[in-house]
Amino acid sequence: MSEAQNIQWFPGHMAKTRRQIKAVMPLIDAVAEVVDARIPVSSRNPELKSLTAGKPIIILLNKCDMADPKATEEWIRYYKTKGISAIGIDCKNGKGINQFKDTVKTALADRLNYYAEKGMVGKPLRVMVAGIPNVGKSSFINRIAGGSKAKAENRPGVTRGNQWFTIDKQLELLDTPGILWPRFEDKTVGEHLAFTGAVKDRILDTELLAVRLLELLASLYPEKLTARFGELDLTADSFDLLCQIGKKRGMVIRGGETDTERAANMLLEEYRSCKIGNLTLERVNYNA
């Protein structure tokens, strides 16, 4: 999987996005960063903090209905210790969306007080919505705006230009194209993004990707694996575990060997569709 370290995610439109983000910062009061609740670390852009010039960041843990609810609450508590507001949301069913406006007002209480002192009561707060591709930025805006005002598709890189949306008299949102950083210095980041489908499977070897996913699942959710696939020898190495699962599903080729490619594709599909359960692959490390 070492090839993941050299994956490049910096085509011309993403370089342009960096320039756009810097250009609009003087107009922005805060940034709402949409991340994947299943992988809150890997789905954050480490460059965003420097790009946003110290503006308050509100983290939106999207797809929380696909994540472990206990882990999501732990992440919210963790961000609070760092002075960062965070809420769990799910753009498909609208969960948590109604918390957003109050969260923005709380995070920007000083700005609202300033407006009041200057006689600018009613001046709208302006929040930029940012995040890596395929985490649900446009879907979030569509939800909170009450309609399909931003283009949203289930594939990376759909939104290509900045778009302003008036949510109400007190709030305006700026949608930005998804942006990834120049390269993955940590191969784990690339793997975790591939697990969730944020990057294309063909970039990484599917069987190796499935093996790495099984390492995590056997460590974090062994009971979920056995509940889904039956009795397994969880002490075996991850490739053997993939073979066990494939055989249980009848994915056997001539000679009695497991068709590991089919098994790998099945495992990834069942993880992404939550058939194994609501799982969070990254946990809080308060010492990080």
Side-chain angles (χ1 to χ4, degrees):
M1 195 66 70
S2 60
E3 66 268 23
Q5 292 175 281
N6 299 316
I7 296 173
Q8 300 296 311
W9 296 106
F10 218 41
H13 79 274
M14 289 188 179
K16 181 180 179 181
T17 299
R18 289 183 67 183
R19 295 192 296 271
Q20 289 173 334
I21 288 175
K22 288 183 177 180
V24 300
M25 276 302 103
L27 306 174
I28 298 299
D29 297 309
V31 176
E33 184 179 8
V34 184
V35 304
D36 190 322
R38 299 167 294 177
I39 50 168
V41 177
S42 295
S43 59
R44 292 197 70 189
N45 187 336
E47 288 194 342
L48 189 61
K49 184 176 180 180
S50 62
L51 289 173
T52 53
K55 303 285 184 176
I57 293 179
I58 299 163
I59 294 179
L60 305 179
L61 292 151
N62 191 28
K63 306 181 183 179
C64 68
D65 274 16
M66 302 176 76
D68 182 333
K70 291 182 180 179
T72 299
E73 288 300 319
E74 183 66 15
W75 277 108
I76 291 171
R77 287 193 293 270
Y78 169 77
Y79 290 128
K80 187 175 181 179
T81 68
K82 301 295 183 181
I84 299 173
S85 300
I87 56 175
I89 66 171
D90 190 271
C91 293
K92 286 188 176 180
N93 60 30
K95 180 178 180 179
I97 298 294
N98 59 3
Q99 299 179 50
F100 179 68
K101 293 180 185 179
D102 287 341
T103 302
V104 170
K105 291 177 183 178
T106 299
L108 293 175
D110 290 345
R111 172 65 62 177
L112 288 172
N113 290 336
Y114 173 80
Y115 287 162
E117 291 171 0
K118 297 297 182 180
M120 301 164 66
V121 176
K123 180 178 172 62
L125 297 171
R126 288 184 159 185
V127 178
M128 183 180 76
V129 183
I132 68 170
N134 215 31
V135 292
K137 299 179 305 300
S138 295
S139 296
F140 165 70
I141 290 176
N142 290 341
R143 268 287 176 180
I144 199 166
S148 298
K149 297 184 179 181
K151 187 176 182 182
E153 292 183 28
N154 188 27
R155 63 182 177 85
V158 169
T159 308
R160 293 302 178 100
N162 290 339
Q163 303 175 73
W164 280 101
F165 298 91
T166 299
I167 305 306
D168 57 31
K169 293 181 180 180
Q170 296 181 307
L171 181 63
E172 294 179 358
L173 299 184
L174 175 65
D175 187 25
T176 61
I179 178 172
L180 284 164
W181 46 104
R183 64 169 55 84
F184 300 138
E185 299 297 340
D186 182 352
K187 69 177 184 180
T188 301
V189 171
E191 292 170 355
H192 287 196
L193 290 169
F195 293 155
T196 62
V199 297
K200 296 176 181 177
D201 287 348
R202 68 172 179 265
I203 292 168
L204 302 170
D205 180 83
T206 303
E207 290 163 272
L208 192 51
L209 191 63
V211 166
R212 294 287 289 125
L213 177 59
L214 275 175
E215 287 179 11
L216 277 174
L217 297 184
S219 171
L220 296 173
Y221 298 100
E223 74 289 351
K224 299 280 190 182
L225 280 179
T226 54
R228 182 64 183 170
F229 299 110
E231 185 177 348
L232 299 167
D233 179 7
L234 295 174
T235 65
D237 66 59
S238 297
F239 183 79
D240 183 64
L241 192 53
L242 180 64
C243 292
Q244 292 180 51
I245 289 172
K247 286 181 178 178
K248 284 181 175 291
R249 289 294 178 86
M251 297 176 179
V252 179
I253 56 179
R254 186 175 300 175
E257 294 184 2
T258 302
D259 186 339
T260 52
E261 183 176 358
R262 281 185 64 201
N265 284 320
M266 174 273 297
L267 179 74
L268 290 168
E269 188 280 327
E270 295 208 358
Y271 162 70
R272 291 168 185 165
S273 60
C274 295
K275 291 177 181 176
I276 302 174
N278 296 350
L279 313 176
T280 297
L281 302 181
E282 297 174 346
R283 301 297 181 83
V284 171
N285 179 0
Y286 283 95
N287 296 319

